[in-house]
Amino acid sequence: MQFTQDTLVNMSQSEDTRPAKYHEVLYISKDLQEGIYIQVEEILFCVPKFVLVQGCEGLADVFAACEGSPNSVTHPCVIPDLKVVEWEALVYYQCRALRSASVTTSFPERPALERYEALLSSASRFLAESARRHAIRALEDIPESVLRPARKLYLARRYHINEWLAPALRKIISMKAKDLSPEDIANLDADAHQTYLTITQTKEKIQEWQASLLFSTPPLQHRPQCHENAVCEATWTIQWRSYAMLLHYPQERMTTMDVWSKMTAANVPEAMGDCFVQAVNALSGSNFLTKESLLVDEAVTQISQIM
């Protein structure tokens, strides 16, 4: 979305109807004649033109549109459908001159999640790619206990962060229903019922697939020097079922990739020797490792179509 006069509402205001308050940091001077006046929600911003010229990347369209018409404390450009925290985050990040100015030391402290979600929102809206990439990287560093998988799925859908979709969906699918909060469900967006249905159905498909593994031991290809085929087969069946049981461990949800990693790191059973290694390696080329990902990819496609 490119911002021009069509997307900025130039409001003519009298002294009695001007904004309730000036921004505590980004209203540089009430008497400044060479500033750009912008109103977001009920807050008035005024930043000197010389600061803006020195490097506010990606905001040229906004400032040009404001300069192209009467612009003053009583006639500010009003940016609709934008939050104060979003404009703060974008202007502070984009304007290098402001970041180096001592005035920014008094910026209000905000939680990292709020700050970078705000930057992601405004950067996406104003097509500020550098700021958008910075926000995405910063959000990726926030722990899962703060940025929960459902919220990450919401952000991925809303701001088209495709690389987040599958990982966030896998996390949600691996969670137990009792661990999903009302806020998690709300973050599934306006089509929460359809999204949640897709997640539930995918979870059931994966659980059914994992349950079937208990009763379908993969065939064993013996090494040429194996002379105890029957013993080797019996040992493999026992080993396979013990690892397949890990998929149903109640305290921790595992994927088949987790189980396979444990198998590759395990001590080789004496009764099998290299046959065990050969059998485990053969799994890497089977649907044992790909089935769950395919089911999640199908769910991602369905959820993307709901958007």
Side-chain angles (χ1 to χ4, degrees), residues 70-236:
N71 183 260
S72 67
V73 65
T74 55
H75 296 75
C77 284
V78 179
I79 304 181
D81 304 317
L82 190 70
K83 296 178 181 177
V84 168
V85 65
E86 294 171 340
W87 183 243
E88 281 178 354
L90 186 63
V91 171
Y92 177 63
Y93 177 81
Q94 295 290 77
C95 298
R96 292 190 297 271
L98 275 178
R99 292 207 300 274
S100 61
S102 59
V103 70
T104 59
T105 59
S106 58
F107 255 79
E109 282 293 323
R110 300 185 187 276
L113 180 60
E114 180 184 5
R115 186 166 69 251
Y116 290 117
E117 276 196 18
L119 181 59
L120 176 62
S121 174
S122 52
S124 298
R125 177 175 174 177
F126 285 82
L127 303 180
E129 274 305 309
S130 174
R132 175 180 157 88
R133 288 193 300 270
H134 177 74
I136 290 173
R137 287 195 299 268
L139 287 167
E140 286 173 341
D141 291 336
I142 293 177
E144 190 177 297
S145 59
V146 178
L147 178 53
R148 289 175 62 81
R151 184 65 181 175
K152 204 163 188 178
L153 179 64
Y154 167 83
L155 295 174
R157 296 175 66 190
R158 183 174 179 84
Y159 300 112
H160 307 286
I161 311 173
N162 295 332
E163 64 271 25
W164 283 8
L165 283 172
L169 194 55
R170 286 192 184 95
K171 287 285 187 181
I172 298 171
I173 288 171
S174 70
M175 295 171 68
K176 296 178 181 179
K178 68 181 181 64
D179 294 329
L180 290 171
S181 68
E183 184 180 0
D184 288 331
I185 302 301
N187 275 317
L188 298 180
D189 217 348
D191 296 299
H193 61 288
Q194 185 59 50
T195 302
Y196 186 67
L197 179 62
T198 300
I199 289 171
T200 302
Q201 290 174 337
T202 304
K203 183 191 290 282
E204 287 184 354
K205 289 176 184 177
I206 289 175
Q207 289 173 344
E208 288 173 0
W209 158 249
Q210 292 178 341
S212 71
L213 295 175
L214 278 169
F215 308 99
S216 55
T217 306
L220 179 63
Q221 296 296 322
H222 297 278
R223 68 193 192 285
Q225 62 270 36
C226 181
H227 302 296
E228 299 288 344
N229 287 12
V231 175
C232 195
E233 292 275 0
T235 304
W236 172 237

